[in-house]
Amino acid sequence: MSYDDHAVLEAILRCAGGDERFLLNTVEEWGAAEITAALVDELLFRCEIPQVGGEAFIGLDVLHGADRISHVLQVTDGKPVTSAEPAGQELGAVLEFTLSDLLRELFGPASGRTAGAFGVSFLPDLRGPRTMEGAALAARATNVVLHATTNETPPLDRLALRYESDKWGGVHWFTGHYDRHLRPLRDQAVRILEIGIGGYDDLLPSGASLKMWKRYFPRGLVFGVDIFDKSACDQPRVKTLRGRQDDPEFMRRVAEEHGPFDVIIDDGSHINAHMRTSFSVMFPHLRNGGFYVIEDTFTSYWPGYGGHPEPGARPDTALEMVKGLIDSLHYEERPDGAATADYIARNLVGLHAYHNLVFLEKGVNKEGGIPHTVPREPFWNDN
Ligand SMILES: C[S@@+](CC[C@H](N)C(=O)[O-])C[C@H]1O[C@@H](n2cnc3c(N)ncnc32)[C@H](O)[C@@H]1O
């Protein structure tokens, strides 16, 4: 299933938080089988790697009107959960969802599991010996599948480790900062753009962080830009685009076709000039309340990347730009500020710098400066 086959996913994301009539109309428009296929694909992606001590097959029946669409999932210890042939399997359990319930559970706004959201037949047709051990294995496997049908999100550092992103553990310790800022967006239907997909010119698939974001934002669409062809990383809710972050025309096209974005992350070349170009081109394509994130700002001190070990020795590094943005944030406090403020100054409302990681928060920067009636000299006598 490729992303492009699934413009259906955009339709699913739109209707998942809507009323039942809108949801059913969307199912009608795309077809129950097509929508169910996309839901099963998502469910498989969300399953944890099972620690169940064996192998079991779990049935998943999706009901829509008079239709019953049956799938079988193979749950094997230590391996990703996959689809199996529907016929001939000894089932540990059959889970039954209405299509509408499953769609809302997976893609609706987080609300917790509602009572009666699914039905279950446990050990429906176990043909072999009905041992306690077999029943316990079936229960563990059922739990793996059932857990994946919620819109709960595992902690971001666990996701980084699962998908092998370097944003946590070893060189970088970024996920705590990401979670702190992005958690409020987690249940929203967001669009995330990450510059730099990973793997450089290695043709092996990469995209660790794209998968991590897909799992972190259950209702999100994830886009990745890389100088190399990373189309092997495309999957439902993840789309890769090939081009250079230092090519303003290309980046503008990305924004026009797929933005505005809720979050933009620069984890690309880390060349200072590129980081500055991408920021100035892409910041306008962020929505208010969104974040522009710059990773690996240590290159501001690396000459090979256009940096300098001495702070301030080169005015054109990423960190010098960030320092200048503190002044931009305060444009209203300078006499000529309002006359000279640029787009970024007028739309930057917060700036959070961590070790090697910067978050720039977008919004309306117009609180008004401190009134002229407030004396510009201390008016008390502190002698
Ligand atoms: C550090 S890796 C990205 C890792 C990924 N974001 C992750 O967390 O899993 C950097 C990537 O940026 C890409 N890159 C290098 N120069 C670039 C440029 N000018 N424009 C876009 N991507 C570039 C490289 O090909 C490489 O795959």
Side-chain angles (χ1 to χ4, degrees), residues 12 179 262:
I12 289 173
D179 190 52
D262 302 79

Side-chain angles (χ1 to χ4, degrees), residues 299-328:
T299 59
S300 285
Y301 307 106
W302 290 9
Y305 285 74
H308 196 285
E310 195 56 47
R314 280 194 69 150
D316 54 354
T317 67
L319 280 181
E320 288 303 320
M321 175 185 83
V322 170
K323 292 178 202 172
L325 290 176
I326 300 177
D327 286 328
S328 301

Side-chain angles (χ1 to χ4, degrees), residues 68-88:
R68 175 178 290 268
I69 302 166
S70 296
H71 288 258
V72 172
L73 311 182
Q74 184 170 358
V75 182
T76 310
D77 199 63
K79 293 189 178 163
V81 177
T82 54
S83 273
E85 282 303 312

Side-chain angles (χ1 to χ4, degrees), residues 90-92 123 125-138:
E90 190 179 294
L91 299 177
L123 303 180
D125 60 357
L126 199 61
R127 284 182 287 263
R130 291 181 179 236
T131 61
M132 291 297 283
E133 220 174 275
L137 170 61

Side-chain angles (χ1 to χ4, degrees), residues 165-167 194 196-200 208-209 226-228 243-246 267-269 274:
S165 161
D166 73 350
K167 295 193 196 308
E194 179 147 1
I197 295 172
Y200 298 86
S209 58
D226 205 285
I227 199 167
F228 297 108
R244 303 183 61 96
Q245 73 174 115
D246 45 313
D267 186 22
S269 71
H274 296 184

Side-chain angles (χ1 to χ4, degrees), residues 193-197 223-227 241 243 245 250-251 254:
L193 171 68
E194 179 147 1
I195 301 168
I197 295 172
F223 302 88
V225 159
D226 205 285
I227 199 167
L241 307 151
Q245 73 174 115
F250 164 73
M251 293 304 287
V254 168

Side-chain angles (χ1 to χ4, degrees), residues 16-303:
D19 63 30
E20 191 69 0
R21 186 189 177 104
F22 180 40
L23 189 154
L24 293 174
N25 283 343
T26 305
V27 173
E28 210 54 46
E29 189 183 328
W30 288 90
E34 178 88 346
I35 297 251
T36 301
L39 299 184
V40 171
D41 201 73
E42 178 74 23
L43 194 158
L44 291 174
F45 173 75
R46 288 193 197 180
C47 283
E48 299 276 337
I49 301 292
Q51 303 296 328
V52 290
E55 180 172 84
F57 293 89
I58 305 298
L60 177 71
D61 282 4
V62 181
L63 313 179
H64 183 65
D67 296 339
R68 175 178 290 268
I69 302 166
S70 296
H71 288 258
V72 172
L73 311 182
Q74 184 170 358
V75 182
T76 310
D77 199 63
K79 293 189 178 163
V81 177
T82 54
S83 273
E85 282 303 312
Q89 312 294 353
E90 190 179 294
L91 299 177
V94 177
L95 295 168
E96 208 177 84
F97 284 82
T98 69
L99 197 160
S100 163
D101 284 339
L102 184 59
L103 192 153
R104 286 187 193 283
E105 291 274 322
L106 285 169
F107 289 116
S111 54
R113 171 98 73 197
T114 55
F118 63 91
V120 60
S121 317
F122 191 57
L123 303 180
D125 60 357
L126 199 61
R127 284 182 287 263
R130 291 181 179 236
T131 61
M132 291 297 283
E133 220 174 275
L137 170 61
R140 288 193 294 272
T142 305
N143 182 52
V144 170
V145 174
L146 212 40
H147 191 72
T149 62
T150 69
N151 48 21
E152 275 170 33
T153 307
L156 191 57
D157 42 9
R158 225 171 73 207
L159 294 179
L161 292 175
R162 169 160 183 197
Y163 298 113
E164 300 180 356
S165 161
D166 73 350
K167 295 193 196 308
W168 175 254
V171 180
H172 302 311
W173 303 95
F174 293 161
T175 50
H177 304 312
Y178 271 112
D179 190 52
R180 181 172 171 210
H181 293 287
L182 304 189
R183 182 186 288 262
L185 308 181
R186 212 166 48 169
D187 295 322
Q188 298 179 19
V190 290
R191 288 174 176 262
I192 310 291
L193 171 68
E194 179 147 1
I195 301 168
I197 295 172
Y200 298 86
D201 58 352
D202 195 333
L203 290 176
L204 287 175
S206 43
S209 58
L210 301 187
K211 283 183 263 182
M212 182 183 80
W213 296 128
K214 172 176 169 176
R215 188 68 184 89
Y216 185 73
F217 293 105
R219 311 178 66 210
L221 294 174
V222 182
F223 302 88
V225 159
D226 205 285
I227 199 167
F228 297 108
D229 177 11
K230 298 288 172 186
S231 53
C233 301
D234 284 359
Q235 55 174 279
R237 299 206 288 124
V238 173
K239 185 169 184 62
T240 64
L241 307 151
R242 186 179 187 181
R244 303 183 61 96
Q245 73 174 115
D246 45 313
D247 174 352
E249 274 320 302
F250 164 73
M251 293 304 287
R252 262 183 220 112
R253 260 197 327 274
V254 168
E256 275 154 23
E257 282 171 30
H258 304 289
F261 299 104
D262 302 79
V263 182
I264 301 175
I265 299 164
D266 180 353
D267 186 22
S269 71
H270 304 307
I271 292 171
N272 282 274
H274 296 184
M275 293 154 101
R276 295 174 66 116
T277 302
S278 299
F279 173 66
S280 59
V281 172
M282 296 306 279
F283 189 70
H285 299 285
L286 199 59
R287 66 125 161 131
N288 281 359
F291 290 92
Y292 192 98
V293 187
I294 307 177
E295 290 194 8
D296 294 0
T297 44
F298 51 80
T299 59
S300 285
Y301 307 106
W302 290 9

